[in-house]
Amino acid sequence: MPASEEFWNTYACVFAVCAIKLVVVQVLQVRCHLAGNNLRQKEDAGFFLAPVFQMLLVATGPATSMEFEARLSNNVRNCVESELWCALIAGVCGFVCTPPAVAVLLLKVWLAFRFAHFVFHIVIPLQPFRAICWIGGTVVLVFFAYTILEQKKATLIAFKDTKFEL
């Protein structure tokens, strides 16, 4: 039996928030590039709208250093490495399994861990809190993966008995 409507509504909202968070970080990256004239591509040098973007993104002042830009890039990479996998695994779990009742709560907890990870990575760079948040989110991801394996293990067992013939 597939997941409940509550699961899917929570899933949709959780990953919509993640998408918005990622866009905010990417806009901050562009702001850093514009502030430092750190042009990534050669065609950016003659971009006639660059001053407009600089004005719209207030590309001056604090949080425009190359160190901050590197931190933003690392956060984007971390989002891609962690959040997309959780979206995939939780989505597969909801589609092919009957997630436990706690799954909706875990999606919300996972989002809280990811948002706290963002805060401790970008806003208040602080360890070990960032690592603790990453571990918490990873535990939730493993929970969804384990749920799939637990409910679909017969598929793996049946596969070992399959004979392949040419």
Side-chain angles (χ1 to χ4, degrees):
M1 175 178 197
S4 67
E5 184 177 349
E6 181 185 17
F7 176 88
W8 288 118
N9 289 339
T10 304
Y11 176 89
C13 290
V14 162
F15 291 103
V17 168
C18 286
I20 291 168
K21 179 176 67 74
L22 180 61
V23 168
V24 166
V25 173
Q26 290 174 326
V27 167
L28 289 172
Q29 277 185 294
V30 170
R31 181 177 176 264
C32 286
H33 292 306
L34 290 171
N37 278 330
N38 179 23
L39 307 174
R40 292 226 164 163
Q41 309 298 324
K42 65 179 180 179
E43 66 271 12
D44 293 346
F47 184 48
F48 69 97
L49 290 177
V52 174
F53 280 96
Q54 286 174 322
M55 183 182 68
L56 290 174
L57 296 175
V58 191
T60 185
T64 56
S65 69
M66 294 311 298
E67 178 186 341
F68 187 67
E69 193 280 327
R71 185 171 287 283
L72 293 168
S73 293
N74 290 339
N75 188 261
V76 168
R77 188 181 75 243
N78 185 275
C79 290
V80 171
E81 291 171 351
S82 300
E83 294 172 11
L84 292 179
W85 276 109
C86 194
L88 176 68
I89 297 300
V92 167
C93 182
F95 186 69
V96 303
C97 296
T98 303
V102 72
V104 171
L105 174 63
L106 286 178
L107 283 171
K108 294 173 185 177
V109 167
W110 179 85
L111 179 62
F113 276 128
R114 290 305 302 165
F115 193 79
H117 180 270
F118 163 78
V119 168
F120 291 125
H121 198 172
I122 302 297
V123 182
I124 308 167
L126 197 56
Q127 285 287 22
F129 302 109
R130 188 174 84 224
I132 291 167
C133 293
W134 179 84
I135 290 168
T138 300
V139 167
V140 174
L141 170 62
V142 170
F143 167 82
F144 283 112
Y146 176 79
T147 300
I148 294 168
L149 292 173
E150 180 62 29
Q151 292 185 22
K152 300 301 177 185
K153 64 185 169 201
T155 304
L156 291 174
I157 293 168
F159 180 75
K160 76 173 187 165
D161 296 331
T162 303
K163 301 215 186 289
F164 295 99
E165 298 179 23
L166 293 177

